[in-house]
Amino acid sequence: MDTLHQNICIKPYKSLGRFIIALTIVLVGANLFIDQRESLAEYLLFAGYCLAMIYWAVAINTQKIVFSPTSVNFIKMSVESDFALPGDLQLSFDEINAVRLLGDHLFIHGTRGKVSFPLKPQSKTAIALKSAFEAHGIPFEINSSLVMHKP
């Protein structure tokens, strides 16, 4: 087995988390120069918005997929459906039934649950996941019309 893929960690929403953090910093910086707030409620509303954005960025940045020598761990990801609360799921490689990239959504089916999240077929995350799963002998099926075929 390839030792390169034994302990890799993939954060599927790393770019989105960084964007949210940058946007929050820009908005806080811009609002420091605005003196149009007249009441405490306006300050509290803005502070609540900033706290919500920071909470969202932290929640997104804690989501990750970790490949260990015997299993794959999905940490703080929606396991049952897209609208379920995030949870942890550990699947040994024997428990994984299928890994499919359908359209722009990745589905990982296991005997104890299903993990799915949006993923572009030609992204760095898709390439890293494909090589990691195939290094453990699990086929990675890509069935997407978004994949550019070279002539």
Side-chain angles (χ1 to χ4, degrees), residues 85-96:
L85 291 174
D88 296 346
L89 176 67
Q90 180 179 3
L91 293 173
S92 69
F93 292 112
D94 298 334
E95 294 176 324
I96 296 176

Side-chain angles (χ1 to χ4, degrees), residues 27-82:
L27 289 175
V28 168
N31 277 294
L32 290 176
F33 297 106
I34 296 175
D35 292 330
Q36 296 177 351
R37 290 193 174 68
E38 297 176 3
S39 68
L40 180 64
E42 291 175 351
Y43 284 107
L44 292 175
L45 182 66
F46 179 68
Y49 169 77
C50 290
L51 289 174
M53 292 293 279
I54 291 169
Y55 177 78
W56 190 27
V58 168
I60 286 174
N61 282 325
T62 58
Q63 293 183 340
K64 55 187 161 184
I65 303 168
V66 179
F67 287 86
S68 68
T70 59
S71 65
V72 60
N73 301 309
F74 302 95
I75 300 170
K76 302 290 182 197
M77 297 190 70
S78 296
V79 176
E80 295 173 7
S81 71
D82 291 339

Side-chain angles (χ1 to χ4, degrees), residues 10 13 27 44 58 63 65 69 77 99 120-121 129 131 135 145:
I10 298 170
Y13 299 113
L27 289 175
L44 292 175
V58 168
Q63 293 183 340
I65 303 168
M77 297 190 70
V99 179
K120 295 194 183 318
L129 282 172
S131 65
S145 61

